[in-house]
Amino acid sequence: MITRRLALSLPMALAAAPSAHAQAAPPLAFALNSAAGSVTIIDMKSRQPLRTEPTFREPSHWALTRDRKTLLVCDAGGNGLFMFDPRTAAPLGHRRIADPYQLGFTPDNKYLAVNALRLNFIDFYDAATLALVKRFEAGHWPSHLDFSPDSRWSFHSLQKSNSLVSIDLATLSQRWSVPVGDTPAGVLWHRGKILVCIMGARGFVEVNPENGRITRQIVTGDGAHNIFIDTRRNVLYVSNRGPGRTGLTALDPASFEILRDYPISGGPDDIGIDPQGRIWICLRFAEAVAVLDPQTGDYTTIPVGRSPHGIFLNTMLREPGLITAERI
Amino acid sequence: MNLDRLFSHLAGFMDQYLVLPVLFHLHWMAWDDLAFDWCLICVYGLFAVLVTYAVCLPLEHWRPVERWQNRKAVLVDVFYTLLNRVGVVPIVTFVLFYQAQTWSTALLVRHGFIPPTLDSLVPGLFGHPLLTFCLYALILDCADYWRHRLSHAFRWWYALHSLHHAQRQMSFWSDDRNHLLDDVIAFFWFFAIGLAIGIPPLQFPILLLGLKFIESVSHANIRLSYGPLEWLVVSPRFHRFHHGLRAAGRQSCNYASVFPIWDIIFRTADFRNEYLPTGDARAPEALVTGGYLAQQAAGLKLFCQALAKSWASLGIGRAA
């Protein structure tokens, strides 16, 4: 189990600058195998799986503490939160938490927000002690989340209620809840707006964070699931899960003009981007991670465990700024 | 490509081109993540049926306990198997279990209790998934032993379970021959256990199929015992004794599904080297040779009659 000392040390250092220590870390990818109850550690240089670390049942998503010393991995089915050293992938223990499916630290590092999808809870934990501060039951199947950079608001997609809910982080009270489309999933704060993927439609919507009004609808592909931004190269990516044709869509982050479509079979889900700009994509049905060259569109695959869901590349530790699963 | 990966590919293909278009069309994409799990269950179920068929059919021809002129009574058991392993039942069970499990877990969490998993409870178990799987298999098999034994002990429950015992032409297809209400009771039985010790890890679907395979083979019409390993794994001879005409009803033996150790510990094991005719002499003919619906109706009728008898014996419903 995680020790109190470790829990208290999670957010101690707020510095978001890469350390020399991080520069020296061996490049590792962490693939979270949601149907195998494990995390595959991959050597990014040789593209070979090095070892498998166990979790209880169903690891899905991750969050990095602000001091960049602990990688938190959700295990919803096992009601567990697992900790790893992001540099070495050494396990640092686990803690029992109700149904953590998706999580993120607020930018001011005050709270750890956890979406408990199955249990319909949006939980806010104290980032320092991981003690539960407030629980919301705002709707069905809270799925993905993001925050305003000033830590005033959080935004959570409610997959089965077809809505987006916003929480005021100063008062921990619900601001609004608005219908945004059929089965909303990925959420991203982007240039003062909220982008929400709509799985039951063919793309994502842009929402005004002040009042929850939809301002634009952008078509990418069937079953748009999650949205990411490559902060170094300034490209938006949307993973489209189908039915039928699946893949990634690259967009201009200002105009939302589609730059390129990458057809990828095998159920693409979360992605990571390495220092060379290659995109590492979890392929849920193929039990593999694809490494895609965005210039050529070619990709190779690395076998991992069953149903890889989230992916963390520790090469991100070398980069300055805020690291979240969607800002890569 | 290993077997596991092949199954994932097949399930992914099925999900992408058969299930997701339906979910997308019906605006049910919220179930997208779980749809892949449904597909996996169906693919594994189909594989299990094919392997059981490929192994048991030659054995039943080679060393049958009984030779039947007419195998018509077996056909309905084939339907039960396909319905339970590949068809609607696993999907409905999956959804019901999911809903019931999340509802009850949320209730517990609201009251401050986060349900554990066995590997988080037992020191030293975490990080040893194979050992965890084996422990789950033993606990669940023990629970199944008691569910099965109790289903013979209560008149109303045996009225449902007698559908399983009524088959006079018992074969490897007979394992899934159960009354729907009996399946519902089993569902709640294992649901309660799941709440206490968590859902078993699913890292070893092939092992899971192996356990189900042992259950199917134990029903096969084969003259086969496992000799000195009889005490370790349930054999066709061991389980046939449970289905023997002498053993049907409330005083039976050999209740275990996979591990006979429970019969040994709880003193219900009978290792006699006999191959008895199977069936339940008291079962109405509709339960034996009827079609699926006729069997379900006959089972329900027996259940109601048994329940009425039980209530009458307790004095419930009598006029003052």
Side-chain angles (χ1 to χ4, degrees):
Chain A
M1 294 291 270
I2 186 171
T3 62
R4 184 174 163 73
R5 194 176 157 196
L6 174 61
L8 289 169
S9 75
L10 294 180
M12 290 298 274
L14 283 170
S19 64
H21 209 43
Q23 300 283 358
L28 299 174
F30 300 59
L32 316 183
N33 307 313
S34 58
S38 66
V39 178
T40 302
I41 312 299
I42 303 165
D43 175 8
M44 289 174 67
K45 269 186 187 162
S46 65
R47 297 191 187 175
Q48 293 296 315
L50 291 175
R51 62 180 194 276
T52 302
E53 294 292 346
T55 65
F56 290 140
R57 297 290 178 273
E58 194 189 10
S60 51
H61 295 281
W62 59 266
L64 190 67
T65 57
R66 203 52 41 81
D67 63 3
R68 302 181 172 209
K69 287 183 178 166
T70 310
L71 179 74
L72 305 185
V73 171
C74 291
D75 184 339
N79 291 323
L81 193 60
F82 284 78
M83 281 78 174
F84 293 92
D85 182 333
R87 289 180 59 257
T88 63
L92 300 174
H94 56 265
R95 177 163 177 150
R96 197 184 294 181
I97 276 192
D99 188 32
Y101 173 73
Q102 176 76 266
L103 80 177
F105 287 98
T106 54
D108 63 3
N109 212 36
K110 193 173 176 188
Y111 300 116
L112 173 68
V114 174
N115 283 352
L117 182 141
R118 263 182 271 230
L119 307 185
N120 302 323
F121 298 154
I122 298 172
D123 289 335
F124 285 87
Y125 294 89
D126 183 293
T129 62
L130 295 185
L132 182 66
V133 178
K134 181 128 185 190
R135 169 165 292 151
F136 292 88
E137 295 192 49
H140 291 102
W141 295 16
S143 173
H144 292 66
L145 58 90
D146 205 358
F147 311 96
S148 60
D150 57 5
S151 295
R152 282 175 72 199
W153 307 318
S154 70
F155 304 89
H156 310 255
S157 57
L158 298 169
Q159 208 166 299
K160 217 172 165 206
S161 298
N162 296 333
S163 54
L164 183 75
V165 65
S166 178
I167 309 282
D168 186 313
L169 295 173
T171 58
L172 283 185
S173 56
Q174 186 175 317
R175 295 175 61 226
W176 46 254
S177 178
V178 293
V180 286
D182 187 358
T183 318
V187 176
L188 180 73
W189 175 278
H190 180 67
R191 302 186 180 196
K193 304 282 185 185
I194 293 293
L195 308 182
V196 186
C197 287
I198 308 297
M199 284 186 73
R202 306 200 62 241
F204 63 90
V205 293
E206 182 191 75
V207 177
N208 183 340
E210 293 285 346
N211 50 27
R213 286 205 187 111
I214 294 174
T215 47
R216 285 168 85 180
Q217 297 190 5
I218 294 94
V219 172
T220 58
D222 286 348
H225 175 68
N226 209 350
I227 187 161
F228 311 87
I229 182 142
D230 179 347
T231 50
R232 281 160 281 170
R233 287 157 208 84
N234 221 13
V235 180
L236 269 178
Y237 289 101
V238 172
S239 56
N240 306 304
R241 294 263 288 269
R245 192 170 177 271
T246 62
L248 271 186
T249 303
L251 301 103
D252 180 278
S255 64
F256 297 148
E257 181 195 344
I258 291 178
L259 302 174
R260 187 164 177 178
D261 264 321
Y262 300 99
I264 298 157
S265 59
D269 205 310
D270 285 0
I271 69 173
I273 297 178
D274 70 18
Q276 290 74 38
R278 288 171 301 227
I279 308 168
W280 294 56
I281 310 155
C282 280
L283 302 179
R284 299 287 293 273
F285 317 139
E287 298 191 6
V289 167
V291 184
L292 172 93
D293 180 341
Q295 300 301 320
T296 63
D298 297 333
Y299 66 90
T300 56
T301 58
I302 304 162
V304 294
R306 199 176 310 119
S307 200
H309 195 147
I311 185 162
F312 169 74
L313 309 182
N314 76 355
T315 47
M316 285 198 278
L317 296 171
R318 302 171 189 173
E319 304 296 332
L322 185 69
I323 297 175
T324 71
E326 288 77 28
R327 278 174 197 82
I328 40 179
Chain B
M1 185 184 291
N2 66 33
L3 208 54
D4 194 47
R5 204 169 294 275
L6 174 69
F7 288 160
S8 281
H9 275 278
L10 286 173
F13 187 82
M14 183 178 164
D15 187 33
Q16 207 64 51
Y17 295 102
L18 292 176
V19 180
L20 280 189
V22 175
L23 294 182
F24 195 78
H25 184 72
L26 296 174
H27 306 286
W28 289 351
M29 281 298 277
W31 294 93
D32 163 56
D33 254 10
L34 293 171
F36 176 59
D37 296 340
W38 304 343
C39 295
L40 264 181
I41 289 172
C42 290
V43 168
Y44 278 109
L46 186 63
F47 175 75
V49 170
L50 292 174
V51 168
T52 309
Y53 185 80
V55 172
C56 290
L57 197 73
L59 284 172
E60 283 196 348
H61 277 281
W62 178 45
R63 297 190 69 190
V65 178
E66 295 167 342
R67 289 189 189 278
W68 307 310
Q69 295 297 317
N70 185 342
R71 295 175 67 92
K72 200 180 159 191
V74 176
L75 276 181
V76 71
D77 289 1
V78 176
F79 181 72
Y80 275 103
T81 302
L82 294 177
L83 200 65
N84 275 280
R85 302 281 179 96
V86 194
V88 181
V89 172
I91 291 174
V92 171
T93 308
F94 184 88
V95 172
L96 286 179
F97 193 89
Y98 181 86
Q99 300 282 29
Q101 199 253 347
T102 52
W103 179 83
S104 53
T105 305
L107 190 71
L108 292 172
V109 169
R110 274 191 208 101
H111 288 86
F113 177 75
I114 302 171
T117 57
L118 202 55
D119 35 343
S120 68
L121 282 178
V122 181
L125 209 54
F126 173 67
H128 301 282
L130 189 60
L131 194 64
T132 306
F133 176 87
C134 292
L135 198 58
Y136 266 103
L138 277 171
I139 291 172
L140 293 175
D141 197 52
C142 181
D144 194 50
Y145 167 89
W146 280 106
R147 181 199 61 80
H148 190 187
R149 188 166 168 182
L150 289 174
S151 76
H152 279 255
F154 292 98
R155 189 184 287 136
W156 59 268
W157 199 345
Y158 184 74
L160 295 173
H161 187 54
S162 62
L163 195 160
H164 182 71
H165 277 271
Q167 179 59 285
R168 293 192 291 259
Q169 296 185 1
M170 192 175 81
S171 71
F172 63 91
W173 294 109
S174 305
D175 185 26
D176 292 299
R177 176 196 171 95
N178 290 307
H179 196 278
L180 267 176
L181 280 179
D182 206 10
D183 283 337
V184 169
I185 295 170
F187 169 84
F188 282 108
W189 186 268
F190 288 108
F191 170 70
I193 292 158
L195 269 187
I197 61 170
I199 308 160
L202 298 174
Q203 290 100 315
F204 307 104
I206 301 291
L207 285 181
L208 211 62
L209 292 182
L211 298 178
K212 204 69 194 153
F213 177 74
I214 291 170
E215 286 182 49
S216 293
V217 173
S218 73
H219 287 88
N221 176 30
I222 310 169
R223 196 171 285 278
L224 179 68
S225 79
Y226 298 153
L229 298 179
E230 258 314 77
W231 64 273
L232 204 60
V233 176
V234 168
S235 70
R237 190 216 56 76
F238 185 85
H239 197 64
R240 191 177 181 87
F241 212 81
H242 172 72
H243 274 265
L245 278 168
R246 288 205 316 246
R250 298 170 76 174
Q251 297 299 323
S252 193
C253 60
N254 299 3
Y255 295 100
S257 295
V258 177
F259 305 116
I261 190 74
W262 310 120
D263 280 298
I264 297 168
I265 291 172
F266 300 115
R267 298 174 180 280
T268 50
D270 192 327
F271 285 99
R272 266 179 285 175
N273 193 24
E274 289 179 37
Y275 293 86
L276 303 174
T278 62
D280 183 345
R282 287 166 299 175
E285 197 55 26
L287 219 52
V288 186
T289 52
Y292 177 80
L293 290 177
Q295 289 186 2
Q296 293 294 317
L300 187 63
K301 191 177 164 190
L302 277 180
F303 169 70
C304 292
Q305 285 168 347
L307 214 54
K309 259 187 199 172
S310 299
W311 283 348
S313 66
L314 291 171
I316 299 169
R318 269 186 212 148

